[in-house]
Amino acid sequence: RLYFEANPEFTFHCEGFKNEDTKSVITTEPSFECSAKQTSSVGEYEITPNGAEATNYAISYTNGTLTVNKAPLTIQVENAERVYGEENPKFTFAYSGFKNEETYDVLSERPSAKTEAIATSGVGTYNIVPSGAEAQNYDITYKNGTLTVTKAPLSVSAVSNTKEYGETNPKVALTYSGFKNNDNEDCISEKPTVAIAADRLSDVGEYAITVSGGKAQNYEFTEYNEG
């Protein structure tokens, strides 16, 4: 039986019957004793028969063995999430199958988990693979989890500039804040769009330089600052 199950009903067989006798000649069937309780650990325990009676037979006994096997236990890494450029979080585990109100405290070795994702890994999903747990009374299987790497926030600012009345608008420079892993604007696949409220004919004064849009594999533009 498995750990923490009830003992099964014990059965017996006989050798030595004469004259085509069968078990039916046994007037009192044997009873059985076993030291294994429901909470007994994995191992082997003697099953001791006694008390049988039969009119024409002198009865002797041979003990049997109750084998208590490990109960199944599933350990799953819980899904996790982090932002691109950050360190991986500490992974946690969910358990299914503990008996007798036990917890992970009965593990002689706690599980560990690994993932191929490092701080420089791009946005996406990565397997988290658990292993290494040990427990006296449990047969352990594992389920992977998923680490989701999300886009890091990036802000962009338009650099203020000047021009004289009647001139065309100058080229506007952009600055960025939030790059990770020594990235720079070369990793931006689609540069933000710049719009200036003034043109060549606009009167002397101040006009907003606005910024919008932009795309990058590992970044999300979350803040736009006007010039």
Side-chain angles (χ1 to χ4, degrees), residues 110-128:
R110 297 284 179 88
S112 59
K114 293 182 179 180
T115 180
E116 64 180 11
I118 58 177
T120 56
S121 298
V123 166
T125 57
Y126 301 84
N127 277 337
I128 311 170

Side-chain angles (χ1 to χ4, degrees), residues 10-13 31-35 44-50 61-67:
F10 300 125
T11 58
F12 65 98
H13 71 275
S31 59
F32 304 93
E33 294 181 356
C34 182
S35 62
E44 293 186 345
Y45 300 84
E46 275 197 337
I47 308 168
T48 305
N50 59 71
Y61 302 95
T62 301
N63 291 346
T65 300
L66 172 67
T67 301

